[in-house]
Amino acid sequence: MKLKPKEGLLWMLAAAAVSLSFSACKPKGAGSAVSGNAAQRTYIPPGQYDEFYTFTSGGFSGQMSVYGLPSGRLFRVIPVFSVDPEKAWGFSEETKPMLETSHGFVPWDDLHHIESSFTDGMPDGKWMFANSNNTPRLARIDLQTFRTAEIIEIPNTGGNHCSPFTTENSEYVIAATRFSVPPDGPGGDVPISSYKENFKGHISFVSVDKETGEFNIAFQLKTPGLNFDLSSAGKGVSNGWLFISCYNSEQAHTLQEVNASQNDKDFIMAINWKKAEEYFKAGKGVKQAVRYAHNKYDEHTHTATSQIKTEVTVLDITDFDDLAYLIPCPKSPHGADVNPTGEYIVGSGKLAALIPVFSFEKLQNAIANKEFEGERYGGVPVVKYESALHGEVQKPGLGPLHTEFDEKGNAYTSFFVSSEVVKWNVKTLEVLDRQPTYYSVGHLMVAGGNSKKPYGKYLVAYNKITKDRFLPTGPELCHSAQLFDISGDKMELLLDFPTIGEPHYAQSLPADILKDKSLKIYDINANAHPHKTNGEAEARIEREGNIVRVYMTTIRSHLTPDVIEGIRMGDEVYFHVTNIEQDWDMPHGFAIKGAKNAELLIMPGETQTIKWEPDRVGIFPFYCTDFCSALHQEMSGYVRVSPKGSNVAMTSYTGNK
């Protein structure tokens, strides 16, 4: 392949960036960069609690993990978009519907970003939102149960990377397409080379019920075919606006590392979402036929449902002259981050050697005075760069990606190529400090750093390369997170800790917001599962043709029934297991030989179901998989499977034969 001169230069720059990245893998003083009293400052004595819960995206794991800060201890992995056999997520009959989509059952996804629900720009401890990047979906995690409560599919979207960023009061969760595609429907069969004519971006505004948290796709904005990367909603003075980083302003459809990196500047798209909402409520949108799944988990019945919906309302931004504006931003921007007061918008161009900071006030004046350099893509105004610019951070580092803020007016930006975190002042644009990361930091998180009043104190760098930081585990290494104390003038490295999957973002909430609301048990009297077993006296088996239902209870230290006969080849056996304990931290498990799905893990007061289809005649043991008492080993039983057509009577009991 022969490259044009400009393309050749881009290839050389990319190669230089890679070289710098790997040379950065051993920063000077790597062995002694940690603070001298770091162990004391991150140590949590036995029986005491961390200051913060930190919810961390799992990237290609599809899950969300929960850590404590400052200890870095892992507390829980919450299954969201990928099956989890430990918790039977996607395997139990109750949770299978949660992973349904318009494409059918999808057992994996790529969970990139998370964000808390907000009230007046501050985390309120109700829910955590998450996105799936591959098959576009949004999820809502209940912060009382630490479980996924809802998943909704996003139509007209390819690659739901630019989400799940919320407005100041979580009126909407935003989901914008990473890969522009033709709108859903039969018109999507077009040549890929017709990208500029036929491919469109879509920005979804998913409303959140303030009481229940339930999702509803209120409306979508159809945009020209740009790729949306990250977004941040306005707050304070900029509340009512949304800022989205856009790359591939060239609208390339192949070899994007070259063809989508030609322009010196791409854009941040500024959207007046309050105006869009006004147009939507006035009936200005167009109804479009689509198909998407909406899945909800009911904590009363302990059961999920999935519904296919068939319509969405779309507003085309080129039909309105006051919805969206493009702000030039160098170059291939990743982050578009709004500071706590809402006055400034920080762009982080992956290929830029500076950080542009835009002023919301200057942007508003430029719009009012029509200080545009023209229009692009069929009528979207382009604001003059200088008219919106507050200023530029000069020579901050190489490869800026993402910026968060503290409570003192400072910003912290991650630099992938130069492998460092840089602290700078938002108003003066002065670089105040820089610290190396190990290695090649991607995203970072300041506690409360995307809120109106950051908690500050801690910053976590999520690094893409681990190399020699932990004991080697073969070719595949865990990703490395690093905890910095940012309470002083200089950042101090306190701790390295491994992470689940590949984190792309995180949220830290003070422990006091959540710990006292955390659910301890399910009230068995409120259990409305249709196949609940209300005590051992109701334990039984029932046959309906070849469908056999086993109504089972678990309690320390036996299962009822623990002897089951009369199962025949060709039967579909459903074990409906109710944990009748009402004591905190007393789950029980259930597994049976030959099951082709997973175990069950049943919390106190809960009912869960696993389907089992025996594949041979014989005796099959089952047992509790979660150690619960000194007699845990004895917590087991047997199922007898007879040939099809057998006249062995259906029998079940525990200890009475």
Side-chain angles (χ1 to χ4, degrees):
M1 176 180 67
K2 187 174 181 180
L3 297 176
K4 299 174 184 177
K6 191 170 183 180
E7 292 173 341
L9 176 61
L10 284 164
W11 279 102
M12 285 188 285
L13 285 170
V18 171
S19 175
L20 280 165
S21 176
F22 282 105
S23 68
C25 280
K26 206 68 174 171
K28 208 170 182 180
S32 59
V34 69
S35 299
N37 61 346
Q40 178 183 347
R41 290 153 69 183
T42 59
Y43 176 67
I44 303 298
Q48 295 189 23
Y49 293 154
D50 281 277
E51 295 174 59
F52 290 91
Y53 287 92
T54 298
F55 298 83
T56 306
S57 73
F60 49 63
S61 79
Q63 317 297 39
M64 182 185 297
S65 48
V66 186
Y67 299 85
L69 288 185
S71 72
R73 296 179 295 186
L74 175 66
F75 297 148
R76 176 168 171 76
V77 177
I78 303 172
V80 184
F81 295 115
S82 296
V83 294
D84 182 351
E86 175 192 329
K87 303 175 183 67
W89 181 255
F91 292 104
S92 71
E93 296 304 298
E94 288 80 5
T95 62
K96 283 180 182 178
M98 293 299 287
L99 299 183
E100 289 291 340
T101 73
S102 62
H103 306 275
F105 183 87
V106 174
W108 168 88
D109 220 301
D110 185 11
L111 193 163
H112 268 228
H113 306 122
I114 62 177
E115 187 153 289
S116 171
S117 56
F118 285 90
T119 298
D120 192 24
M122 294 300 295
D124 56 24
K126 291 182 179 179
W127 307 294
M128 200 63 65
F129 304 116
N131 73 325
S132 66
N133 188 40
N134 185 48
T135 302
R137 285 169 287 174
L138 290 175
R140 175 173 58 87
I141 289 78
D142 188 320
L143 295 185
Q144 282 190 301
T145 63
F146 286 68
R147 286 181 168 184
T148 302
E150 186 174 15
I151 295 177
I152 193 167
E153 190 177 0
I154 308 298
N156 290 323
T157 299
N160 177 36
H161 186 269
C162 186
S163 75
F165 307 110
T166 81
T167 53
E168 187 172 295
N169 287 287
S170 292
E171 298 96 336
Y172 298 104
V173 178
I174 309 304
T177 188
R178 174 182 178 183
F179 311 115
S180 285
V181 291
D184 289 357
D189 181 16
V190 298
I192 296 173
S193 59
S194 70
Y195 184 107
K196 292 182 179 180
E197 295 77 28
N198 293 312
F199 286 51
K200 301 296 179 184
H202 283 81
I203 303 166
S204 300
F205 287 75
V206 181
S207 64
V208 181
D209 185 279
K210 290 195 177 299
E211 299 301 321
T212 66
E214 185 169 328
F215 287 150
N216 177 57
I217 299 178
F219 60 92
Q220 294 184 317
L221 298 182
K222 185 166 70 173
T223 75
L226 298 168
N227 292 1
F228 298 120
D229 201 337
L230 293 174
S231 71
S232 184
K235 55 179 77 81
V237 297
S238 55
N239 183 24
W241 285 74
L242 175 70
F243 305 94
I244 304 182
S245 60
C246 313
Y247 65 103
N248 193 20
S249 57
E250 300 85 353
Q251 296 188 307
H253 71 277
T254 183
L255 194 61
Q256 289 195 31
E257 69 173 320
V258 173
N259 295 326
S261 303
Q262 300 290 308
N263 296 335
D264 290 332
K265 290 185 175 71
D266 291 281
F267 299 107
I268 288 176
M269 183 178 285
I271 295 170
N272 186 339
W273 69 258
K274 285 281 192 181
K275 181 63 69 173
E277 180 185 60
E278 180 184 313
Y279 285 136
F280 161 66
K281 290 180 177 178
K284 302 289 186 180
V286 175
K287 303 288 187 183
Q288 180 191 344
V290 292
R291 295 185 77 251
Y292 63 97
H294 189 184
N295 311 327
K296 294 181 284 186
Y297 192 86
D298 187 327
E299 288 292 351
H300 300 290
T301 63
H302 305 170
T303 301
T305 56
S306 179
Q307 177 186 6
I308 292 292
K309 296 189 173 180
T310 58
E311 189 177 80
V312 70
T313 301
V314 179
L315 296 158
D316 189 330
I317 66 168
T318 62
D319 291 339
F320 306 89
D321 59 9
D322 54 358
L323 280 190
Y325 306 87
L326 295 171
I327 309 170
C329 182
K331 176 176 186 181
S332 298
H334 186 61
D337 302 294
V338 177
N339 82 313
T341 65
E343 296 174 274
Y344 301 106
I345 304 102
V346 179
S348 298
K350 300 189 295 289
L351 302 179
L354 51 81
I355 301 173
V357 181
F358 301 101
S359 161
F360 181 73
E361 181 180 3
K362 292 184 72 174
L363 171 65
Q364 294 304 297
N365 289 336
I367 292 170
N369 297 325
K370 299 190 181 300
E371 295 177 24
F372 304 139
E373 61 181 47
E375 295 182 343
R376 292 286 302 274
Y377 314 113
V380 185
V382 180
V383 176
K384 289 181 179 178
Y385 179 71
E386 295 77 9
S387 295
L389 188 69
H390 166 62
E392 298 171 338
V393 183
Q394 296 293 330
K395 298 181 180 179
L398 297 175
L401 288 182
H402 185 212
T403 300
E404 292 259 292
F405 307 91
D406 67 15
E407 75 283 17
K408 302 172 185 176
N410 301 313
Y412 301 79
T413 301
S414 60
F415 289 84
F416 176 81
V417 177
S418 53
S419 196
E420 60 186 332
V421 174
V422 175
K423 175 182 178 180
W424 51 278
N425 184 271
V426 176
K427 288 191 176 180
T428 68
L429 308 176
E430 177 189 1
V431 172
L432 304 173
D433 188 27
R434 60 179 72 237
Q435 290 295 327
T437 59
Y438 310 97
Y439 306 97
S440 297
V441 59
H443 298 80
L444 53 73
M445 181 275 303
V446 171
N450 62 335
S451 70
K452 288 173 74 172
K453 297 178 182 178
Y455 309 116
K457 191 170 185 179
Y458 296 121
L459 177 152
V460 181
Y462 293 99
N463 305 318
K464 299 302 183 185
I465 297 174
T466 302
K467 295 290 187 183
D468 55 3
R469 298 305 285 182
F470 305 117
L471 288 170
T473 55
E476 182 184 1
L477 303 178
C478 64
H479 281 251
S480 163
Q482 295 189 291
L483 176 69
F484 291 84
D485 185 330
I486 60 171
S487 57
D489 291 337
K490 300 294 183 181
M491 297 177 279
E492 296 181 87
L493 176 61
L494 299 181
L495 180 71
D496 281 24
F497 59 97
T499 59
I500 301 294
E502 182 196 7
H504 290 258
Y505 192 41
Q507 296 272 268
S508 279
L509 274 63
D512 290 343
I513 292 179
L514 296 179
K515 65 183 178 66
D516 295 332
K517 298 193 301 184
S518 181
L519 185 71
K520 293 187 174 181
I521 64 170
Y522 291 97
D523 181 356
I524 197 163
N525 296 312
N527 181 337
H529 193 289
H531 299 292
K532 167 191 173 184
T533 305
N534 197 24
E536 293 182 2
E538 291 188 6
R540 64 199 186 277
I541 57 175
E542 295 179 352
R543 176 181 289 280
E544 305 165 18
N546 72 324
I547 305 296
V548 177
R549 300 190 182 276
V550 179
Y551 292 83
M552 180 178 286
T553 62
T554 65
I555 194 170
R556 289 164 287 180
S557 300
H558 59 274
L559 300 132
T560 304
D562 64 4
V563 173
I564 299 169
E565 298 188 1
I567 306 301
R568 300 192 289 256
M569 289 294 295
D571 283 347
E572 295 179 9
V573 184
Y574 293 85
F575 290 92
H576 305 294
V577 186
T578 301
N579 181 347
I580 59 176
E581 304 268 9
Q582 290 288 269
D583 188 11
W584 187 29
D585 195 21
M586 197 48 60
H588 291 296
F590 176 84
I592 185 167
K593 179 182 177 181
K596 297 179 177 66
N597 35 39
E599 68 158 350
L600 290 177
L601 192 60
I602 314 108
M603 297 300 115
E606 185 180 37
T607 300
Q608 290 287 284
T609 303
I610 203 77
K611 179 182 177 181
W612 179 64
E613 296 181 79
D615 64 351
R616 66 197 68 179
V617 169
I619 305 299
F620 293 81
F622 57 84
Y623 68 104
C624 174
T625 57
D626 194 292
F627 200 101
C628 56
S629 73
L631 295 175
H632 169 76
Q633 290 293 89
E634 287 74 18
M635 195 168 173
S636 60
Y638 294 100
V639 173
R640 175 185 175 186
V641 178
S642 302
K644 189 173 185 177
S646 167
N647 59 2
V648 174
M650 291 195 68
T651 308
S652 66
Y653 57 88
T654 296
N656 59 1
K657 250 190 186 183

